């Protein structure tokens, strides 16, 4: 089979572009340690309320500079205890799961944006730099009351 000169040029160009693209993706994924928001921790969605830390949702201090916020997403509400209040400048580890359908956990004006899937524990660490009240919303349509699914987190000095 005979290939025309221009066909050979385009084949070489396409192959070089493919190798360059895959190399860039590989370097970004592995060398820069880019990973999904959560781990591969699983939980029985029917026993969420019996499994730590979701049996007592809310904010708990782990050490001097680290807090953990355990939150359960369910039909049109986030259960994070009575109030979600965290200090500014401290690392907050959000652990979230769902009891029913897929939800989203997005803290407005931050880079916290996670999918909350039944049967999986999604984890994300974040440090708030400014005090204030931050809106937490669900960006994943979860049913007819989806627009009521929000809460707030208070970041204090």
């Amino acid at each position: 089979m005979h290939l025309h000169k221009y066909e050979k040029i385009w084949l070489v160009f396409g192959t070089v572009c493919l190798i360059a693209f895959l190399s860039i993706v590989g370097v970004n994924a592995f060398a820069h340690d880019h990973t999904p928001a959560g781990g591969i921790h699983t939980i029985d969605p029917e026993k969420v309320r019996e499994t730590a830390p979701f049996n007592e949702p809310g904010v708990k201090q782990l050490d001097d500079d680290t807090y953990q916020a355990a939150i359960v997403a369910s039909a049109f509400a986030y259960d994070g205890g009575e109030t979600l209040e965290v200090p500014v400048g401290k690392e907050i580890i959000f652990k979230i799961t769902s009891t029913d359908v897929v939800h989203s956990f997005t803290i407005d004006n931050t880079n916290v944006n996670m999918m909350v899937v039944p049967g999986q524990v999604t984890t994300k660490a974040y440090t708030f730099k400014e005090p204030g009240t931050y809106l937490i919303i669900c960006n994943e349509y979860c049913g007819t009351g989806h627009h009521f699914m929000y809460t707030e987190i208070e970041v204090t000095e």
Side-chain angles (χ1 to χ4, degrees):
M1 181 169 102
H2 176 69
L3 294 176
H4 191 272
K5 175 180 151 185
Y6 292 124
E7 288 177 309
K8 290 178 186 176
I9 291 171
W10 279 109
L11 282 172
V12 169
F13 176 74
T15 303
V16 168
C17 286
L18 180 63
I19 291 169
F21 172 74
L22 292 176
S23 299
I24 290 169
V25 170
V27 166
N28 279 319
F30 299 110
H32 294 145
D33 197 29
H34 288 189
T35 58
I40 308 175
H41 303 291
T42 58
I43 188 171
D44 183 351
E46 295 180 10
K47 296 183 180 176
V48 168
R49 302 288 181 183
E50 303 163 16
T51 308
F54 303 108
N55 57 341
E56 296 178 15
V59 178
K60 292 180 180 51
Q61 186 170 2
L62 301 178
D63 60 37
D64 290 341
D65 294 322
T66 311
Y67 290 76
Q68 175 181 287
I71 301 169
V72 178
S74 57
F76 321 130
Y78 293 109
D79 181 7
E82 292 191 23
T83 60
L84 283 173
E85 187 173 320
V86 298
V88 69
K90 305 291 183 181
E91 181 182 44
I92 313 301
I93 300 171
F94 293 97
K95 286 187 174 265
I96 306 163
T97 192
S98 172
T99 58
D100 48 14
V101 298
V102 175
H103 296 281
S104 164
F105 182 84
T106 303
I107 302 176
D108 201 26
N109 296 321
T110 69
N111 67 348
V112 177
N113 185 7
M114 301 180 283
M115 293 299 295
V116 184
V117 180
Q120 294 183 0
V121 178
T122 306
T123 304
K124 171 90 173 163
Y126 186 75
T127 303
F128 290 94
K129 294 171 181 50
E130 298 288 328
T133 301
Y134 291 81
L135 181 65
I136 299 173
I137 57 174
C138 178
N139 284 326
E140 188 72 29
Y141 182 75
C142 53
T144 56
H146 166 72
H147 55 285
F148 294 118
M149 189 165 178
Y150 68 91
T151 190
E152 293 179 336
I153 186 166
E154 185 69 32
V155 180
T156 59
E157 289 286 343

